[in-house]
Amino acid sequence: MRKKFIIGNWKMYGNKASVKELLTTLKFSMVNSSDKVSCIVCPPYIFLAEAQALLQDSQIALAAQNMAAEKEGAYTGEIAAAMLSEFGCKYVLLGHSERRTYYSETDALIAKKFQLATESGLVPILCIGETLEQYQSKQTQAVLQRQIEKILALGEAVLQKGILAYEPVWAIGTGISASPAQAQQTHQFLRQQVALHYPDLAQKLPILYGGSVKLDNAKALFEMPDIDGGLIGGASLRAHEFLQIYCDCVSITN
Ligand code: PGA
């Protein structure tokens, strides 16, 4: 069975007090932790040091929301992979649609970061997904193919160190999630695309769903055979809801 992941993307929310409260609640309320489902949170960079300290001796792992495409150098405002590792990050989100849309991140840049993340010992979580317009004009598959092309070209040894997250842009933060059947169909398509190049890896690669995952739809989504957990935005800022979503995912593995 593939490993599953429940990942909370906090985006640019929170302050010192709320981060402390959220992490403390998560740490001490997490009773049903399972080695089949990893629980990961992605705080803003500036809170990583505190998160690392607060999550010591907990089952919850840390991820960053982004990283630089260069190892080090004169890149004002950027954060290097090695710095993230030093502050306890094991994972890094790459190519989130908000990075693609507001910061013009291209597939080529994201592929460069993906490679660098794996060389730096971080697990890259590649986010892909179509916009509403692309969805309505039936371009979903073509868009996804384009978004994974450069990642597939990095080779099996690199790709096997990463995770995919399908996040339809029209579902992010809108309250309108893809239906389980709809998401399953796209996840199956993605797995088939990977299988065209790397059949063995395609069966092992975790593919998460993101986009308005909430308590009322999480379980049905995670029950789908090609959905290996979720990348959760809004609901991850509410400790008890996030923990319940985690428990829903664990219940499927039992
Ligand atoms: P959402 O965000 O759960 O608030 O829709 C998901 C994401 O952006 O990763």
Side-chain angles (χ1 to χ4, degrees):
M1 193 199 249
R2 283 186 295 273
K3 176 124 197 197
K4 294 183 188 286
F5 297 85
I6 296 296
I7 305 178
N9 174 12
W10 296 3
K11 309 192 180 186
M12 199 175 72
Y13 288 106
N15 53 43
K16 272 175 137 178
S18 71
V19 164
K20 189 168 182 186
E21 192 188 327
L22 185 49
L23 288 172
T24 311
T25 311
L26 289 178
K27 180 173 171 176
F28 292 107
S29 314
M30 181 131 184
V31 276
N32 271 348
S33 95
S34 153
D35 53 7
K36 295 185 190 128
V37 187
S38 293
C39 185
I40 302 167
V41 291
C42 318
Y45 290 136
I46 195 135
F47 299 124
L48 286 172
E50 178 153 22
Q52 182 185 27
L54 285 167
L55 291 179
Q56 234 177 14
D57 304 319
S58 93
Q59 305 294 323
I60 302 165
L62 266 184
Q65 297 178 14
N66 185 25
M67 59 172 249
E70 306 295 335
K71 269 193 180 150
E72 64 175 357
Y75 299 101
T76 303
E78 289 290 286
I79 305 281
M83 298 172 185
L84 298 174
S85 297
E86 217 181 336
F87 283 85
C89 289
K90 298 262 182 302
Y91 303 84
V92 60
L93 298 184
L94 294 179
H96 189 282
S97 68
E98 288 148 17
R99 300 294 319 170
R100 294 175 189 261
T101 307
Y102 306 136
Y103 302 96
S104 309
E105 293 203 5
T106 61
D107 292 325
L109 179 84
I110 295 160
K112 188 174 178 197
K113 291 185 182 189
F114 193 101
Q115 168 103 38
L116 182 58
T118 61
E119 286 167 5
S120 312
L122 291 171
V123 175
I125 302 158
L126 175 77
C127 305
I128 52 176
E130 81 284 8
T131 63
L132 182 61
E133 202 186 1
Q134 291 163 337
Y135 170 69
Q136 285 170 337
S137 56
K138 304 207 180 320
Q139 293 175 60
T140 301
Q141 296 194 347
V143 169
L144 296 177
Q145 270 171 330
R146 198 169 63 229
Q147 289 177 334
I148 59 171
E149 197 185 305
K150 291 198 166 51
I151 302 294
L152 290 171
L154 295 175
E156 188 167 17
V158 175
L159 185 55
Q160 72 181 4
K161 294 184 181 151
I163 296 172
L164 287 189
Y166 168 58
E167 297 203 296
V169 180
W170 47 269
I172 295 177
T174 59
I176 306 163
S177 158
S179 70
Q182 220 173 4
Q184 164 58 25
Q185 199 182 25
T186 306
H187 281 231
Q188 193 175 21
F189 168 76
L190 283 168
R191 211 175 286 291
Q192 282 162 354
Q193 292 304 302
V194 177
L196 292 176
H197 302 260
Y198 316 115
D200 290 344
L201 172 60
Q203 293 317 309
K204 294 184 205 138
L205 188 69
I207 308 180
L208 319 185
Y209 170 80
S212 295
V213 176
K214 304 260 178 324
L215 254 188
D216 59 5
N217 61 12
K219 194 153 185 236
L221 284 161
F222 303 155
E223 272 166 354
M224 294 292 123
D226 286 298
I227 299 184
D228 305 310
L231 178 53
I232 296 135
S236 72
L237 294 166
R238 299 183 286 274
H240 291 291
E241 186 166 355
F242 184 62
L243 284 168
Q244 188 55 51
I245 291 172
Y246 176 80
C247 291
D248 283 350
C249 193
V250 172
S251 73
I252 289 158
T253 64
N254 293 331

